[in-house]
Amino acid sequence: MTRPFEQAMAAFAPALPLGVAFSGGADSTALLLACAQRWPGQVVALHVHHGLQAAGDDFERHCYTVCAALGVPLWCQHVDARHAPGQSPEAAARHARYKAFEALALDNKAQAAIQTIAIAQHADDQIETLLLALSRGAGLPGLSAMAAQWQRAGLTYCRPLLQVSRVSLRAWLSAQGSSFIEDPSNTDERFTRNRIRAQLLPALQRCFPQFLDTFARSSRHAAQAQLVLQEVAEADLARVGAPPLLADLQTLRPARLANLLRHWLLTVHHTTPSTAQLEELMRQIAACQTRGHQLQLKVGQGFCVRRGKALDWYNPTLF
């Protein structure tokens, strides 16, 4: 019988040559090994040294050893992934990692080669992401968790293992007899994701043995609903204009107005309002009934203001 990991890899059909994000841990080792076996000579490993741990140099040396044994080229990028005050350490590391992948894949030696990058996040990671989103009161974009495929900076990113459990992945890797490293930060329960992994997932497994499948199904439903909301927002924005006319915004029902404002702020101005900011913005839009009524509200890193008949947003630090 074909196992889940093998099924997932059989269904994976990326454009080649392929870059595989490779940390040296179990998950990325399994993905790199499977890709190298399936597409010999068409795979490059991409390793990011985050500069956060003393063991980072050891991780890099391990990756070189594994790739040399597989006959897979390894490209490394050193980054400073320290987080700024108020920034999530996970978010800072993720941002630095993707910038590094882009640099590795798009530099001169790879200009005509790497178009697709595979990442080894799996079903357990997906559920951890969903639970984090729930704990933060996220809307549909957060509840959609991680996408199986997306575009960024001219590259296609894929997560082919999102329906494979950590247990299935490790069972396949164990059968291959391949070595991997354990990142000690993955067991540090000061980080919320690690507490979810160590404490919450085992409890869910005891209460709901099929939770990996059922929770992931809920995320897929959320992602489908978000696509519909995005299409509605795109149509509404085309009608009200950018910047949007206040009179047209006032004709929308609250839920539809909120959907449009989130879409406009994110896609046009690359900012996301908090729930409180969005609610206050909607209240002020409704109050703009006379020509002289002014509107100014901090939203994200900038301000929403009234300019004549329209709503606008600006960031004073950019001027």
Side-chain angles (χ1 to χ4, degrees):
M1 180 177 178
T2 304
R3 291 180 292 183
F5 181 88
E6 294 163 334
Q7 289 177 327
M9 289 306 304
F12 184 36
L16 300 175
L18 171 69
V20 175
F22 182 46
S23 68
D27 307 338
S28 63
T29 298
L31 180 60
L32 179 63
L33 181 57
C35 289
Q37 290 174 352
R38 187 171 175 192
W39 299 292
Q42 296 290 306
V43 176
V44 173
L46 308 175
H47 179 74
V48 179
H49 189 309
H50 292 84
L52 297 175
Q53 300 185 57
D57 292 341
D58 294 332
F59 297 165
E60 185 176 310
R61 282 190 289 270
H62 170 83
C63 290
Y64 272 113
T65 300
V66 171
C67 288
L70 292 175
V72 171
L74 177 68
W75 297 347
C76 291
Q77 182 87 354
H78 286 235
V79 300
D80 182 355
R82 290 174 295 182
H83 64 285
Q87 184 183 23
S88 158
E90 184 183 53
R94 181 171 58 249
H95 176 75
R97 189 159 53 247
Y98 282 116
K99 296 299 290 184
F101 290 154
E102 290 161 19
L104 286 168
L106 300 177
D107 69 4
N108 290 333
K109 66 185 177 184
Q111 201 62 250
I114 302 301
Q115 300 175 50
T116 308
I117 296 178
I119 300 175
Q121 287 156 326
H122 48 67
D124 297 65
D125 295 320
Q126 183 77 314
I127 302 309
E128 290 166 12
T129 301
L130 171 62
L131 293 170
L132 277 171
L134 284 168
S135 73
R136 295 164 180 165
L140 285 179
L143 300 183
S144 302
M146 296 185 290
Q149 183 171 310
W150 75 103
Q151 303 286 326
R152 177 183 169 128
L155 294 165
T156 297
Y157 286 84
C158 298
R159 295 184 175 108
L161 305 179
L162 282 183
Q163 297 188 51
V164 180
S165 70
R166 178 181 284 111
V167 169
S168 295
L169 186 152
R170 297 243 175 164
W172 183 88
L173 185 59
S174 176
Q176 307 303 307
S178 184
S179 64
F180 58 88
I181 53 175
E182 293 281 8
D183 186 340
S185 70
N186 289 337
T187 58
D188 186 346
E189 293 190 22
R190 289 177 298 175
F191 299 112
T192 305
R193 181 180 288 273
N194 291 343
R195 291 197 299 276
I196 290 173
R197 183 179 305 147
Q199 301 176 31
L200 188 51
L201 294 192
L204 286 169
Q205 180 67 47
R206 290 192 296 272
C207 293
F208 309 107
Q210 302 302 315
F211 83 99
L212 284 179
D213 294 331
T214 57
F215 282 27
R217 191 184 312 144
S218 292
S219 281
R220 291 195 293 273
H221 291 327
Q224 290 174 346
Q226 178 58 30
L227 286 175
V228 175
L229 288 179
Q230 182 174 326
E231 290 177 1
V232 171
E234 289 170 353
D236 284 344
L237 186 60
R239 183 172 64 83
V240 305
L245 295 175
L246 287 163
D248 289 338
L249 292 176
Q250 290 166 349
T251 67
L252 297 174
R253 294 192 178 192
R256 193 155 176 171
L257 175 59
N259 184 51
L260 169 59
L261 291 172
R262 288 192 197 94
H263 176 76
W264 168 63
L265 288 165
L266 180 61
T267 59
V268 178
H269 298 294
H270 311 291
T271 194
T272 301
S274 69
T275 299
Q277 288 172 342
L278 185 62
E279 290 175 351
E280 177 60 19
L281 178 58
M282 293 168 63
R283 189 194 68 78
Q284 292 198 28
I285 289 171
C288 284
Q289 298 295 332
T290 63
R291 182 178 299 177
H293 193 108
Q294 295 304 305
L295 182 158
Q296 178 158 334
L297 176 69
K298 189 176 190 316
V299 175
Q301 299 302 309
F303 292 85
C304 278
V305 295
R306 178 177 184 171
R307 297 193 194 280
K309 296 181 179 181
L311 177 69
D312 203 358
W313 183 93
Y314 75 99
N315 185 341
T317 65
L318 301 180
F319 296 93

